[in-house]
Amino acid sequence: MLPLAFSLVYLGIELAVGLSPLPDEDGTCIDRQRRVTILVPAHNESAGITQTVSALKATAPTAEILVIADNCDDDTAALARQAGATVAVRDDPSRRGKGYALAFGRDVLEQDPPDAVIVIDADCRLAQGSAERLALRALAHGRPVQASNLLTSDQASPLVAVSNFAMLIKNLVRARGLKRLGGGAMLFGTGMAFGWPLFARLPLATGDAVEDLSLGLWLARQGVPVDLDDRAQVTSSAAPVESSRAQRSRWEHGFLRTAATKGLPLMLEGIVRRSRNLATLGTHLLVPPLALLMLLSIIGLAIAAAAGFWTGHWIPLTVGGSAFAFASAMLLVAWWRYGRAVLPFADLLRIPLYIIWKVPIYIGFFTRNQKDWNRTQR
């Protein structure tokens, strides 16, 4: 129970310090002579690539748009060209993954490199002015900059609403908390900006299922913290839960693999090196995905209660219960402040169903680990 209590307390701390927006930076205008390219890796995105390119042209009219049609067997490339994007086609079935697509796009850009690169997934939308904000900060500080990354739904089912709220907690509130605690955030894979000198040396060409997570940790070890601009925003439409299991499995399995092998060593390395960024990133990895953490905590509390009843030792239950109450209280505060529009009060009762729905994903971590880059049907 004590390791779970540690994760619960750290989650509560991240939430507490992430409740308020980060300080803003003055100025959101980029010299028009500074070239910005939006790099869009796309695998079989014919259903939405036209809308994506059109939306990017509207919200970032001065940016160049490069679509990488990666191992596609549909007309993604043709539709992206028709919408006004520059397109590069990559056909290499033996090397699948978003990381390879990004590396291929960088090779294309290397012939005439821009000043800054913004990576946007093919199913995402950038809020007005966000491209300028991201590029400005990346160019001004020489560090990667991450936008807040949220899910949206016009008429979300209760389970989708719970999922959207969990994403808001992870990619906004906890991201702010991590930035405040350690000086650096995580990368989310979309809505991330780099100055060209940094982008040119990133280790992109990997088949890692969570290439964004691994890239952020690599940068931290190089002494390059990830900046967070919580006023820049990238969104994507939430998929129905029944069609998103594979995508969720890929990310959560990848996160769990990374956390199991790198979380504690990274935290200890940060302590030894006196690096707040490394220590907090490692500790952040020791907090399981929210649904899994709640499930394990409930099971742990039940076991601690039974053990206390039979042995008379109540310290594990007291410590675990206090940590669970603290984290739950902070989640409720975050919901009250930011989540009510995403997750209506009536849908809070569906949280246990959402946790149950995710149980097969966590079981699958031990039986059929999901690694492939796949497209979620929306």
Side-chain angles (χ1 to χ4, degrees):
M1 191 66 226
L2 292 181
L4 285 173
F6 175 84
S7 295
L8 288 164
V9 169
Y10 186 75
L11 169 64
I13 292 172
E14 275 192 346
L15 293 170
V17 300
L19 288 172
S20 59
L22 295 170
D24 195 11
E25 291 194 0
D26 295 333
T28 56
C29 295
I30 285 200
D31 184 342
R32 290 182 179 272
Q33 295 182 348
R34 306 299 292 272
R35 290 177 52 222
V36 177
T37 295
I38 298 177
L39 183 58
V40 184
H43 172 64
N44 288 347
E45 293 285 352
S46 61
I49 194 64
T50 298
Q51 293 84 350
T52 296
V53 173
S54 298
L56 289 174
K57 289 173 70 68
T59 57
T62 62
E64 304 163 2
I65 301 172
L66 173 62
V67 173
I68 305 301
D70 187 78
N71 287 304
C72 296
D73 52 22
D74 62 4
D75 55 353
T76 294
L79 291 173
R81 285 193 188 95
Q82 291 174 15
T86 302
V87 177
V89 176
R90 177 177 177 270
D91 186 13
D92 188 353
S94 65
R95 287 155 55 92
R96 291 183 174 273
K98 182 178 171 182
Y100 291 120
L102 292 176
F104 183 81
R106 179 175 60 190
D107 291 342
V108 174
L109 292 174
E110 203 168 29
Q111 302 170 26
D112 184 18
D115 296 292
V117 177
I118 302 174
V119 177
I120 298 293
D121 283 351
D123 58 353
C124 290
R125 302 289 182 268
L126 262 178
Q128 191 73 42
S130 293
E132 288 82 358
R133 293 185 64 94
L134 293 170
L136 174 70
R137 289 178 72 150
L139 291 170
H141 303 301
R143 295 186 308 216
V145 186
Q146 176 64 58
S148 61
N149 176 23
L150 305 177
L151 293 173
T152 61
S153 302
D154 293 330
Q155 293 181 327
S157 68
L159 291 187
V160 170
V162 174
S163 176
N164 292 354
F165 174 66
M167 186 81 152
L168 183 149
I169 290 295
K170 171 183 171 291
N171 287 354
L172 180 61
V173 184
R174 288 189 64 196
R176 286 175 179 164
L178 181 60
K179 175 70 165 61
R180 279 201 172 97
L181 290 170
M186 290 285 196
L187 290 173
F188 303 146
T190 184
M192 51 188 190
F194 307 87
W196 178 259
L198 177 59
F199 191 69
R201 66 185 181 94
L202 295 178
L204 297 175
T206 73
D208 195 330
V210 283
E211 78 293 325
D212 50 343
L213 177 59
S214 298
L215 186 59
L217 299 181
W218 181 86
L219 285 163
R221 283 204 164 98
Q222 305 303 307
V224 182
V226 175
D227 197 3
L228 176 70
D229 187 343
D230 57 350
R231 289 169 175 81
Q233 189 176 91
V234 58
T235 59
S236 58
S237 297
V241 291
E242 60 271 11
S243 65
S244 63
R245 191 182 297 274
Q247 184 74 1
R248 294 168 192 266
S249 297
R250 179 190 67 83
W251 192 89
E252 298 211 21
H253 291 177
F255 177 87
L256 291 172
R257 282 195 309 273
T258 303
T261 57
K262 298 182 180 179
L264 184 58
L266 192 64
M267 183 184 74
L268 296 175
E269 181 183 349
I271 294 172
V272 171
R273 292 174 55 180
R274 297 183 180 181
S275 168
R276 285 173 52 218
N277 189 27
L278 291 178
T280 52
L281 286 174
T283 310
H284 182 88
L285 288 176
L286 295 178
V287 180
L290 196 54
L292 178 59
L293 178 61
M294 294 296 106
L295 176 64
L296 293 176
S297 298
I298 292 169
I299 294 173
L301 288 172
I303 294 173
F309 178 79
W310 288 107
T311 67
H313 298 297
W314 298 100
I315 291 178
L317 180 61
T318 301
V319 172
S322 299
F324 185 78
F326 172 56
S328 298
M330 289 299 98
L331 282 169
L332 282 174
V333 172
W335 170 78
W336 182 261
R337 184 154 186 175
Y338 297 108
R340 286 178 291 169
V342 176
L343 180 64
F345 178 78
D347 290 343
L348 287 174
L349 299 176
R350 305 297 183 98
I351 291 178
L353 294 178
Y354 178 74
I355 294 175
I356 293 171
W357 176 83
K358 294 193 76 173
V359 167
I361 292 177
Y362 301 128
I363 294 175
F365 176 68
F366 299 99
T367 60
R368 55 181 187 281
N369 213 268
Q370 176 70 34
K371 299 180 179 180
D372 295 336
W373 182 28
N374 43 37
R375 182 184 182 277
T376 301
Q377 298 300 319
R378 302 184 184 275

